């Protein structure tokens, strides 16, 4: 793939609609041409211990931040017509669908691809976690579970094996 958008969400709690940050990397012609990151006030607006343990975000970080519709308004035109790529597509796609439903927004039926599935098909490594798949593709992650860093790693994987 040469033209796509790598996307990653972090969530505040067990509800898929509770996206609290998004990272987006836009690739055209095999080159990263744009990056976008935003904190998001989640819905519902509470954090579980376990999600905070994963990404380090708390309600203090996202109170006062824009809601998903406000953030997506900044993104929608930039990614229009491009397929989306995520590492563990079922998670990120379900988050996107859930948050669209949460805010009663019309879902544009985005085309999604999965670098986790591609990693399992193409890479001979003992585990296909994002940081390990990225390393096998020559990308060294520095801040795993930061949405933009994860999206950049996903883009690096996609450029190598999709």
């Amino acid at each position: 793939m040469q033209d796509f958008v790598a996307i990653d969400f972090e969530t505040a709690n067990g509800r898929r609609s509770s996206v609290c940050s998004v990272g987006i990397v836009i690739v055209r012609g095999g080159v990263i041409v744009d990056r976008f990151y935003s904190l998001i006030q989640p819905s519902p607006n509470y954090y579980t211990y376990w999600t905070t343990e994963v990404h380090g975000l708390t309600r203090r970080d996202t109170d006062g931040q824009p809601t998903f519709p406000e953030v997506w308004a900044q993104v929608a035109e930039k990614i229009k017509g491009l397929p989306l790529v995520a590492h563990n597509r079922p998670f990120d796609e379900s988050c996107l669908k859930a948050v669209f439903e949460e805010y009663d927004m019309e879902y544009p039926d985005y085309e999604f691809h999965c670098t986790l599935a591609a990693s399992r098909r193409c890479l001979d490594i003992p585990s296909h976690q994002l940081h390990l798949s990225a390393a096998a593709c020559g990308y060294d992650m520095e801040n795993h579970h930061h949405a933009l860093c994860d999206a950049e790693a996903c883009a690096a994987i996609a450029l190598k094996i999709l």
Side-chain angles (χ1 to χ4, degrees), residues 74-137:
Q74 299 174 58
V75 171
E77 275 305 308
K78 292 181 179 195
I79 69 169
K80 191 173 185 175
L82 292 171
L84 303 181
V85 176
H87 199 76
N88 191 14
R89 176 202 54 79
F91 174 78
D92 293 287
E93 185 176 24
S94 68
C95 288
L96 190 57
K97 287 180 176 179
V99 75
F100 263 77
E101 185 176 321
E102 179 77 14
Y103 287 99
D104 200 27
M105 297 165 61
E106 186 176 335
Y107 187 76
D109 201 26
Y110 292 108
E111 175 187 342
F112 258 93
H113 299 272
C114 185
T115 55
L116 176 59
S119 176
R120 289 177 174 148
R121 282 191 313 270
C122 301
L123 301 176
D124 185 20
I125 54 178
S127 172
H128 297 274
Q129 293 176 331
L130 178 61
H131 66 288
L132 299 173
S133 295
C137 291

Side-chain angles (χ1 to χ4, degrees), residues 22-26 34-38 71 74-75 78 148:
V22 63
I24 293 173
V25 175
I26 301 172
D34 199 2
R35 291 173 175 83
F36 177 87
Y37 174 77
S38 182
V71 170
Q74 299 174 58
V75 171
K78 292 181 179 195
L148 184 56

Side-chain angles (χ1 to χ4, degrees), residues 41-56:
Q41 188 172 101
S43 181
N45 192 7
Y46 69 91
Y47 284 77
T48 63
Y49 170 82
W50 301 111
T51 56
T52 295
E53 280 294 302
V54 169
H55 51 59

Side-chain angles (χ1 to χ4, degrees), residues 3 10 26 30 33 39 49 59 63 72 75 119 155 159-160:
D3 300 303
E10 299 298 333
I26 301 172
V33 297
L39 293 172
Y49 170 82
R59 189 166 175 169
D63 274 354
W72 205 250
V75 171
S119 176
L159 284 167
K160 290 282 187 185

